């Protein structure tokens, strides 16, 4: 067969959707259900870049659609990518919390679970010019007047929102009285903290690391059980506040893809996960590797959903 005839045949097969699945994963579309600048944005773009360097994708295009803890992006992903074997969506624990509190009409049961990639703990920070210097200062003010302490972070139901409610409960304050300001993404939350528009802010450590290092934010506590590697910030538990909560991130595929197409996407993600580009991205951002794929990931999400719902109910959030 002549080369031009072969290429035309290949194009016709691609248009008809009958190419081998591995070939169809070459040009990927990544839904990032958050505004630019936050954790999902960083994760999605690092993943896309790494997939190209690992030769798991020839190109990756991105679509940011923030709001409602990812529910708006999730709905668009479901409506626009049905049966598309080249579509991916970044998500994580925050989306589960948003679904529990917001009860959106479209849930994760409409899309295809692929893999968990990372886990990360939150850090709480103060603006550099805050009159408070420690978490103890914040807690004392919280006990005096819960509403006067303005907590800033991601959407309602985010891990920092849940952690703030857990802190209140642990120090004897009604979690329902905390003054939590939900921002649409990490970029907006960061700007509010740097501008001194909130009393205290929370997010994944990687999102605030450069500002902490530069002295623009004062880190006063992390939500891990033990201190984070290379991070000289005390845990909440060290400070007598029994709170330990993490944030994980993963990837879903489009609704209605076949088992073969799902396997091809999981294989592409697995290949990328082992590649130096992705390993470097995890080191740079302080992410903990947390690979879990296929049905094991699906079962994990179901268990996390039930666990988060129980925690939020106990903390008075739902």
């Amino acid at each position: 067969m002549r080369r031009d005839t072969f290429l035309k045949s290949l194009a016709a097969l691609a248009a008809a959707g009958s190419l081998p699945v591995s070939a169809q994963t070459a040009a990927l579309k990544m839904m990032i259900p958050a505004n630019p600048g936050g954790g999902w944005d960083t994760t999605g773009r690092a993943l896309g870049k790494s997939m190209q360097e690992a030769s798991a994708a020839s190109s990756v295009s991105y679509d940011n659609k923030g709001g409602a803890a990812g529910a708006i992006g999730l709905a668009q992903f479901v409506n626009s990518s049905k049966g598309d074997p080249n579509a991916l969506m970044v998500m994580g624990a925050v989306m589960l919390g948003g679904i529990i509190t917001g009860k959106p009409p479209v849930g994760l049961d409409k899309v295809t679970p692929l893999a968990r990639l990372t886990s990360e703990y939150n850090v709480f920070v103060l603006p550099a010019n805050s009159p408070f210097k420690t978490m103890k200062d914040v807690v004392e003010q919280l006990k005096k007047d819960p509403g006067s302490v303005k907590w800033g972070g991601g959407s309602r139901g985010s891990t920092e929102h849940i952690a703030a409610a857990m802190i209140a409960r642990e120090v004897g304050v009604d979690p329902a009285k905390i003054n939590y300001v939900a921002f649409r993404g990490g970029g907006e939350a960061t700007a509010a903290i740097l501008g001194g528009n909130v009393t205290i802010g929370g997010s994944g450590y990687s999102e605030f690391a450069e500002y902490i290092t530069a002295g623009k934010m004062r880190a006063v506590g992390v939500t891990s059980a033990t201190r984070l590697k290379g991070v000289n910030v005390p845990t909440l538990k060290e400070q007598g506040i029994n709170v330990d909560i993490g944030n994980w991130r993963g990837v879903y595929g489009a609704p209605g893809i076949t088992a073969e197409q799902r396997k091809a996407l999981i294989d592409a993600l697995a290949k990328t996960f082992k590649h130096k580009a992705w390993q470097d991205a995890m080191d740079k951002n302080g992410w903990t590797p947390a690979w879990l794929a296929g049905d094991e990931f699906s079962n994990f999400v179901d268990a996390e959903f039930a666990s988060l719902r129980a925690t939020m109910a106990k903390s008075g959030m739902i």
Side-chain angles (χ1 to χ4, degrees), residues 46-313:
L47 177 63
K49 182 172 182 289
S50 299
M51 292 188 83
Q52 291 176 82
E53 293 192 25
S55 299
S58 63
S59 65
V60 181
S61 59
Y62 305 95
D63 185 8
N64 285 87
K65 196 71 178 179
I72 295 174
L74 170 62
Q76 179 170 310
F77 185 68
V78 169
N79 291 330
S80 65
S81 65
K82 188 173 182 180
D84 186 344
N86 298 329
L88 299 174
M89 180 188 72
V90 177
M91 51 75 67
V94 171
M95 183 175 282
L96 271 58
I99 290 172
I100 293 168
T101 57
K103 300 181 177 64
V106 177
L108 285 168
D109 58 316
K110 305 295 183 186
V111 284
T112 307
L114 298 177
R116 184 184 67 188
L117 301 175
T118 67
S119 181
E120 184 178 28
Y121 287 97
N122 285 0
V123 61
F124 281 102
V125 299
L126 304 175
N129 61 354
S130 171
F132 305 124
K133 304 301 178 189
T134 65
M135 180 59 84
K136 181 173 180 290
D137 295 339
V138 175
V139 167
E140 287 177 356
Q141 182 61 33
L142 187 68
K143 289 178 177 178
K144 289 178 190 172
D145 183 2
S148 68
V149 176
K150 192 182 290 186
W151 302 78
S155 52
R156 286 185 57 79
S158 63
T159 50
E160 53 267 28
H161 185 193
I162 297 171
M166 292 171 74
I167 290 171
R169 184 193 66 197
E170 288 297 317
V171 302
V173 174
D174 182 354
K177 292 183 177 179
I178 66 169
N179 182 4
Y180 185 82
V181 182
F183 294 95
R184 289 185 298 174
E188 290 183 14
T190 298
I193 297 163
L194 292 174
N197 297 318
V198 295
T199 310
I200 182 169
S203 189
Y205 188 87
S206 65
E207 291 185 44
F208 292 161
E210 67 176 289
Y211 304 103
I212 295 169
T213 302
K216 296 179 179 178
M217 294 178 180
R218 180 191 298 273
V220 294
V222 292
T223 62
S224 51
T226 59
R227 289 201 181 197
L228 301 177
K229 183 182 177 183
V231 175
N232 186 27
V233 179
T235 67
L236 293 173
K237 284 192 169 185
E238 281 180 70
Q239 301 176 70
I241 304 170
N242 187 27
V243 170
D244 174 3
I245 182 171
N247 183 15
W248 55 267
R249 297 189 183 113
V251 184
Y252 268 62
I257 59 174
T258 67
E260 185 184 19
Q261 290 166 338
R262 182 192 189 201
K263 182 179 183 305
L265 287 171
I266 291 173
D267 287 348
L269 291 168
K271 180 179 181 181
T272 303
F273 191 85
K274 296 171 186 171
H275 194 273
K276 184 177 184 303
W278 178 249
Q279 296 295 318
D280 288 347
M282 286 197 292
D283 285 344
K284 176 185 174 184
N285 290 289
W287 297 332
T288 300
W291 176 258
L292 194 67
D295 290 345
E296 286 183 310
F297 174 54
S298 179
N299 294 335
F300 164 80
V301 172
D302 290 344
E304 275 286 286
F305 195 89
S307 175
L308 272 178
R309 182 193 289 278
T311 298
M312 293 167 78

